[in-house]
Amino acid sequence: MTAPHHDHASYLAPERKARIDEVVASRTRTLTVVMEAFCDPQNVNAVLRTCEAFGVQELHVVEGPQKRYDRNKKISQNADKWLDVHRWRSTAECLAHLRGQGFAVYVTHLDRGAKALGELSFAGKVALVFGNESRGVSDEAVRLADATFTIPMRGFVQSFNVSVAAAITLAKAVERREAERGRHGDLSEAEAAALRARFYVLAVKQRTRIAKAEHRRLAPSGRRRGEPPVER
């Protein structure tokens, strides 16, 4: 017997549904980020939040010696629940997969052949690789790169925190995509429909949780806990 279909969009306020539709229209799977063996879970959460803000739907995490990152809602702002995060055991495995999908691999690394971020083309599918906070990207990532790049700096400081570097890079990448491709969001109709349906479900669940929490906060009589009963 087939389970009854629930139209979750009908449970959402029109403004919330419109916002989800707007977000999905700006989503892409042709620009992605690879986080290579980050040490600090807070940096992972910060990059997740940045990617969500810039409409990057898929991310790749290459696990390193650090413990698996824990969700930090204050930093990620629950961004991960809206994203597709793929985990990999090695850089080679991750980048081989992406190259097989037609992605050009751009790696943040200072070497003689490195280009300035603004010189890179984002007309095609691009994977941006950010390395470990202390060691930078691995030799393997550099070897597999289609290009290495740096973020131009004007001061004495020669490096950014990795989450800041990711934010600057994605801002420029989105700007270049819009200039070269005409738009940033580029999901197919089928991809967009599936993502909208998924986001509607998540939004309804979120609203239900909030409603339940508010219900628990109120006493059975309808008054707030701690308030005296109303004289009748």
Side-chain angles (χ1 to χ4, degrees):
M1 183 177 177
T2 304
H5 172 71
H6 296 285
D7 180 11
H8 289 86
S10 64
Y11 292 100
L12 294 173
E15 315 85 65
R16 182 59 169 163
K17 180 181 177 296
R19 178 59 181 154
I20 289 173
D21 293 349
E22 180 184 7
V23 166
V24 170
S26 297
R27 279 294 205 257
T28 183
R29 295 184 190 274
T30 56
L31 176 66
T32 191
V33 164
V34 177
M35 292 177 271
E36 190 185 40
F38 279 21
C39 292
D40 189 345
Q42 292 191 2
N43 282 329
V44 178
N45 282 289
V47 174
L48 288 172
R49 181 177 178 179
T50 297
C51 287
E52 201 286 320
F54 281 112
V56 175
Q57 184 60 35
E58 294 195 359
L59 293 91
H60 301 266
V61 177
V62 179
E63 301 289 1
Q66 85 284 7
K67 66 178 182 179
R68 289 170 67 92
Y69 80 90
D70 297 319
R71 291 181 61 193
N72 187 318
K73 295 180 181 180
K74 289 183 179 179
I75 298 173
S76 72
Q77 295 292 296
N78 284 321
D80 58 320
K81 76 176 181 181
W82 304 107
L83 303 174
D84 299 313
V85 182
H86 306 283
R87 296 179 181 275
W88 301 89
R89 293 182 179 179
S90 72
T91 297
E93 184 182 16
C94 175
L95 297 188
H97 168 79
L98 289 170
R99 291 174 71 94
Q101 296 293 315
F103 282 84
V105 176
Y106 296 165
V107 175
T108 53
H109 183 65
L110 179 59
D111 57 38
R112 288 186 177 182
K115 296 182 178 181
L117 174 59
E119 297 176 12
L120 297 175
S121 172
F122 287 87
K125 298 167 75 172
V126 173
L128 297 165
V129 183
F130 298 92
N132 177 277
E133 296 92 334
S134 58
R135 300 188 304 274
V137 294
S138 66
D139 292 340
E140 197 162 34
V142 174
R143 180 175 61 82
L144 294 171
D146 292 290
T148 55
F149 72 93
T150 60
I151 300 171
M153 301 181 190
R154 305 291 185 261
F156 294 111
V157 172
Q158 291 300 302
S159 64
F160 289 112
N161 172 277
V162 68
S163 62
V164 173
I168 293 171
T169 302
L170 283 173
K172 175 59 71 173
V174 171
E175 177 186 310
R176 295 292 296 150
R177 280 169 61 85
E178 291 175 339
E180 294 182 79
R181 299 166 61 98
R183 60 176 181 154
H184 174 53
D186 59 0
L187 298 182
S188 68
E189 286 298 325
E191 288 177 319
L195 200 60
R196 278 195 298 269
R198 175 176 145 194
F199 286 178
Y200 292 158
V201 172
L202 286 171
V204 169
K205 287 181 177 179
Q206 183 181 52
R207 194 184 73 168
T208 301
R209 285 195 298 268
I210 293 172
K212 286 182 178 178
E214 180 66 11
H215 180 73
R216 287 193 299 268
R217 195 169 66 85
L218 297 174
S221 62
R223 68 179 184 276
R224 298 178 187 276
R225 286 176 180 165
E227 289 182 347
V230 178
E231 295 291 340
R232 297 188 183 277

